[in-house]
Amino acid sequence: DIQMTQSPASLSASLGETVSIECLASEGISNDLAWYQQKSGKSPQLLIYTANRLQDGVPSRFSGSGSGTQYSLKINSLQSEDVSIYFCQQNYDSPLTFGSGTKLEIK
Amino acid sequence: EVQLVESGGGLVQPGRSLKLSCAASGFTFSNYYMAWVRQAPKKGLEWVATISTSGSRTYYPDSVKGRFTISRDNAKSSLYLQMNSLKSEDTATYYCARYGPGYPSYYGYWGQGVMVTVSS
């Protein structure tokens, strides 16, 4: 199985700041990487797919990048509504596996 | 608008069975692979089962293989998960999810989730 190592586990930042979350795959996944946002008590929602493609309706302050085994999610101009847990997921090979999540809070 | 609505969760004793349902709307159900994904309390996400568009192919992780069965009824736009021989470690919120185009793929849409608690 492909292991997804996500960091940091938690992150605290001020409104308006830019933050980044990293995801490292145990082998190359050819940009088959998605990012999800899960707000408290809600189901996950797709933010980004194929490493850098924004899902319809997702604000442009979210962006994804990376290649090979290393990927990142960047959030520009942090807003209060961005408080969530963020998960990465590889869909290169079955079983599809997730990172352990990053909890983002506002300072 | 894509909607996925799960039902059938609840409290069940270890070793017993439970069947979850997911009613889909807002898209052509028969065109998409579907999945169940679960999340134990305060934990991460774990894929549980996948089914092909026709239902002829199913996939499971080792943790549920032989105990869980995913199925679908394309005429009713419905997805199911039959869970047998339940264990305490199956306690989780279960989400019905639609894949993006093709498989393997990302999960483009999720239901609101249904809680399953396995306890005596």
Side-chain angles (χ1 to χ4, degrees), chain A residues 34 36 38 41-46 48-50 55 87 89-96 98-100, chain B residues 6 37 39 43-47 50 59-61 95 99 103-113:
Chain A
Y36 301 90
Q38 186 176 32
K42 301 292 187 181
S43 58
Q45 299 295 310
L46 178 68
I48 286 170
Y49 60 99
T50 319
Q55 172 72 334
F87 295 94
Q89 178 228 349
Q90 66 82 18
N91 52 273
Y92 177 74
D93 194 22
S94 184
L96 307 189
F98 294 90
S100 54
Chain B
E6 302 95 336
V37 179
Q39 186 172 34
K43 297 293 185 182
L45 298 163
E46 180 188 17
W47 164 67
T50 291
Y59 309 88
Y60 307 92
Y95 296 102
Y99 282 97
Y103 177 80
S105 181
Y106 49 86
Y107 301 111
Y109 293 92
W110 302 64
Q112 85 285 354

Side-chain angles (χ1 to χ4, degrees), chain B residues 45-118:
Chain B
L45 298 163
E46 180 188 17
W47 164 67
V48 171
T50 291
I51 190 165
S52 64
T53 52
S54 66
S56 61
R57 286 166 291 181
T58 57
Y59 309 88
Y60 307 92
D62 289 344
S63 57
V64 308
K65 196 176 293 182
R67 300 189 300 121
F68 288 13
T69 302
I70 188 172
S71 61
R72 65 191 297 163
D73 184 336
N74 285 343
K76 295 182 177 179
S77 295
S78 292
L79 180 72
Y80 306 100
L81 184 67
Q82 177 68 45
M83 303 184 292
N84 298 332
S85 303
L86 282 161
K87 306 175 182 181
S88 58
E89 52 263 42
D90 295 319
T91 294
T93 296
Y94 285 73
Y95 296 102
C96 166
R98 194 198 86 175
Y99 282 97
Y103 177 80
S105 181
Y106 49 86
Y107 301 111
Y109 293 92
W110 302 64
Q112 85 285 354
V114 63
M115 185 68 200
V116 173
T117 302
V118 183

